[in-house]
Amino acid sequence: MQYPSILDRQYQQYLPFVEEVAKRVKSTLVNFCDKKGYAFTSRIKTIESLAEKIETGRFKRWSELDDLFACTVIIPRLLQEQDVIDFCRNSFNVTKTLKRGQAKKAPDVFRFDSTRLSAKLRSIDTSLEPTLNIFNIGFEIQIKSAFEHAWAVSTHDLVYKSSEIDWKKLRLAAQIKSTVEQLDTLILAFETVADAIQESNYPELKKKIKIGELTNSLFENKIPEELRPKDLSRFCDNLYSILVSAGQDENIQKSLDCIKSVINKTPNKKIPRSISLLQYFLAILVENQIVPLPLPNYSCHITEELITLYPCFDTQNSISFDYET
């Protein structure tokens, strides 16, 4: 597309400063996102996109263009949005915040509505403000849910970068956006909505629930907190897999009663802390001849610490997880 020479000169003058701003902002936000498990994307606005933005007529002067660099923090759930906002306010000079739902929106309209922050890099030296420098270059931070981001990247080029205006495509994009909004709402109200789901009598899940209930009860007064699994549901899956491999899945209560009896008889100070909780439960079941070794289709995590405490695992190297590459 054609754009005026004055825009080209202005863009080229600002570009090195925008690139440095992008570098610093990305460094700060990528580190934050890595720690939190959020996704991150960014872009420097092209001169063609900038020309089209100016031609919308919504901007009176160059200083109002605050997204020469823009980035997006993608969060799993909208409840985490405030966490991102707080971090940005502590890290940058946030000049404007437009939160989702803040703009007036008809109840039957579904369009882009993500939270956006306009910001600048922080500078201690206020004498720099009148001059062109990295500290007076505005940039934008968008905060989107994973569902919103998927909608945006999936439909943007299909609809808004199309060579034709198509009512049906615009309508379909809006319908998909309404589904996205519904999904985010369901996630926010997950616990409440889940209560309204009619439960099915699924035997395998009931057995895993029993494992979880026993495990939680033992943490109340016997098992030290440091042994608590990171993910209880995964722990229950893993112990259930052991019992299935040992042919004990139809008599799971026997295994759980054995674990409970042994642990309740063990003084708190003698409960091992050098092995994982799953290793501890497995050792109890093996010692009480409920789970025979070797197990078919199951590789045990046999470590030196486990063998030291339970020598019965010393001869089971053939079924142990192998750390050799």
Side-chain angles (χ1 to χ4, degrees):
M1 65 174 289
Q2 290 290 335
Y3 45 83
S5 58
I6 187 174
L7 172 59
D8 185 42
R9 291 194 300 272
Q10 185 87 335
Y11 183 81
Q12 298 303 329
Q13 181 184 11
Y14 270 73
L15 187 57
F17 298 95
V18 175
E19 289 174 338
E20 180 60 26
V21 169
K23 178 182 175 181
R24 296 192 183 199
V25 174
K26 286 166 67 175
S27 175
T28 300
L29 286 178
V30 167
N31 286 336
F32 168 73
C33 290
D34 283 348
K35 291 177 182 178
K36 294 289 187 175
Y38 304 154
F40 177 84
T41 64
S42 65
R43 61 103 181 108
I44 292 176
K45 206 171 194 65
T46 64
I47 192 170
E48 292 84 2
S49 294
L50 193 56
E52 288 181 342
K53 186 163 188 172
I54 292 173
E55 288 179 348
T56 63
R58 293 185 288 112
F59 303 93
K60 292 182 178 180
R61 55 184 61 85
W62 181 268
S63 59
E64 293 182 5
L65 303 171
D66 57 0
D67 68 338
L68 296 178
F69 170 71
C71 56
T72 303
V73 176
I74 303 153
I75 53 179
R77 296 179 298 278
L78 292 180
L79 284 173
Q80 296 157 323
E81 184 174 88
Q82 191 59 46
D83 180 39
V84 181
I85 293 174
D86 292 342
F87 177 81
C88 291
R89 286 175 175 168
N90 289 330
S91 303
F92 309 114
N93 178 23
V94 175
T95 56
K96 180 181 177 183
T97 302
L98 183 63
K99 300 189 73 171
R100 68 181 66 249
Q102 188 173 327
K104 293 181 179 179
K105 182 171 58 176
D108 56 349
V109 173
F110 298 91
R111 55 174 177 254
F112 176 82
D113 188 33
S114 299
T115 291
R116 283 157 286 167
L117 308 177
S118 298
K120 295 179 180 179
L121 295 176
R122 282 184 172 171
S123 172
I124 300 175
D125 188 356
T126 56
S127 64
L128 293 173
E129 292 181 3
T131 62
L132 174 56
N133 60 79
I134 61 173
F135 300 107
N136 58 27
I137 300 289
F139 57 91
E140 183 179 82
I141 304 168
Q142 294 183 8
I143 307 172
K144 296 180 182 177
S145 73
F147 294 128
E148 284 179 312
H149 179 67
W151 170 78
V153 298
S154 299
T155 63
H156 191 266
D157 287 352
L158 292 173
V159 177
Y160 303 104
K161 297 290 185 180
S162 176
S163 59
E164 61 180 3
I165 299 174
D166 190 319
W167 185 93
K168 292 181 289 186
K169 291 180 180 179
L170 290 168
R171 183 64 173 175
L172 181 57
Q175 289 173 345
I176 297 172
K177 181 62 171 70
S178 70
T179 302
V180 166
E181 188 172 311
Q182 185 178 34
L183 288 170
D184 278 327
T185 301
L186 286 172
I187 294 298
L188 281 173
F190 191 85
E191 299 293 338
T192 303
V193 176
D195 287 339
I197 302 294
Q198 184 173 354
E199 189 171 348
S200 176
N201 186 18
Y202 188 58
E204 180 180 312
L205 189 60
K206 284 196 168 186
K207 294 170 185 176
K208 292 179 181 180
I209 290 173
K210 283 186 176 181
I211 294 173
E213 289 173 346
L214 171 71
T215 304
N216 280 327
S217 68
L218 290 172
F219 272 104
E220 291 179 2
N221 54 18
K222 291 297 297 185
I223 302 178
E225 190 64 26
E226 63 200 77
L227 289 182
R228 185 179 291 277
K230 175 179 177 292
D231 186 337
L232 181 64
S233 62
R234 175 62 62 86
F235 172 83
C236 295
D237 287 342
N238 292 341
L239 183 57
Y240 182 74
S241 295
I242 291 174
L243 296 174
V244 169
S245 184
Q248 296 294 325
D249 51 310
E250 295 302 325
N251 191 18
I252 195 171
Q253 194 59 51
K254 176 183 176 182
S255 300
L256 299 182
D257 289 343
C258 175
I259 292 171
K260 181 178 180 180
S261 176
V262 170
I263 292 178
N264 283 334
K265 291 177 183 177
T266 303
N268 290 25
K269 292 183 179 180
K270 291 190 176 182
I271 292 178
R273 289 167 167 80
S274 59
I275 59 177
S276 72
L277 187 65
L278 188 69
Q279 288 177 313
Y280 183 33
F281 281 15
L282 174 60
I284 292 173
L285 296 173
V286 169
E287 280 200 328
N288 286 271
Q289 300 181 346
I290 293 177
V291 170
L293 295 179
L295 287 171
N297 304 317
Y298 186 87
S299 296
C300 299
H301 193 193
I302 299 176
T303 59
E304 292 181 4
E305 294 84 356
L306 180 63
I307 294 172
T308 300
L309 293 169
Y310 300 96
C312 59
F313 288 95
D314 192 22
T315 59
Q316 302 298 328
N317 289 334
S318 63
I319 64 164
S320 176
F321 172 80
D322 191 352
Y323 277 96
E324 294 296 326
T325 54

